[in-house]
Amino acid sequence: VGEAYALANDDALGDVLTVLVDNAIKYSPEKSVVRVDAKTTDRFVTISIRDEGVGIAQSEQAKIFERFYRVDSSRTKLAVEGHGLGLSLAKRLCQLQNAGLTVSSDGKHGSTFSIKLRRVTK
């Protein structure tokens, strides 16, 4: 599709992508697919990470970006280690770059995390 450029700090964006891809792998069944896609518009570059996990309930989606928040592990059927800091860090790193970080999920079949960055011309 060609190259697109966005306004971002490469280290911070790398950290955000690491958190999101790591979570997608941890919360997905073995041998499932984690997709990383990018799409552009005239004003934005959006990077999306989609997993094939159990999804995130609508009622939990706003809370997952809070520090130390963990979705009830009994609902995920997975024993995933962590402290609930990754997504809050990712959200803060996006905010510092004037980027958006959102999640969408039907609560049953996977989740998609999207980073929306301002597009720039080279």
Side-chain angles (χ1 to χ4, degrees):
V1 173
E3 293 181 350
Y5 298 92
L7 188 59
N9 175 288
D10 59 342
D11 290 331
L13 182 58
D15 289 344
V16 172
L17 289 169
T18 297
V19 167
L20 297 178
V21 171
D22 182 58
N23 278 359
I25 293 167
K26 285 195 293 192
Y27 288 96
S28 293
E30 285 188 39
K31 300 184 182 182
S32 62
V33 175
V34 172
R35 292 184 53 105
V36 179
D37 295 303
K39 92 175 185 183
T40 61
T41 64
D42 288 341
R43 297 181 53 210
F44 298 102
V45 174
T46 303
I47 304 168
S48 298
I49 296 87
R50 171 141 180 84
D51 65 50
E52 296 178 351
V54 296
I56 303 167
Q58 189 76 25
S59 61
E60 304 282 336
Q61 290 179 23
K63 299 174 191 173
I64 63 171
F65 295 109
E66 296 173 10
R67 289 182 345 157
F68 305 113
Y69 187 80
R70 304 273 318 257
V71 174
D72 181 5
S73 61
S74 66
R75 295 177 64 205
T76 66
K77 299 179 184 172
L78 296 170
V80 176
E81 292 188 28
H83 300 289
L85 292 172
L87 289 177
S88 65
L89 173 64
K91 183 77 167 186
R92 183 66 182 138
L93 288 172
C94 285
Q95 289 170 337
L96 290 171
Q97 300 179 79
N98 294 313
L101 176 58
T102 58
V103 62
S104 63
S105 176
D106 66 4
K108 297 177 185 172
H109 308 297
S111 302
T112 302
F113 285 83
S114 298
I115 306 161
K116 190 172 185 179
L117 302 158
R118 281 186 288 148
R119 186 173 180 182
V120 295
T121 56
K122 188 172 181 184

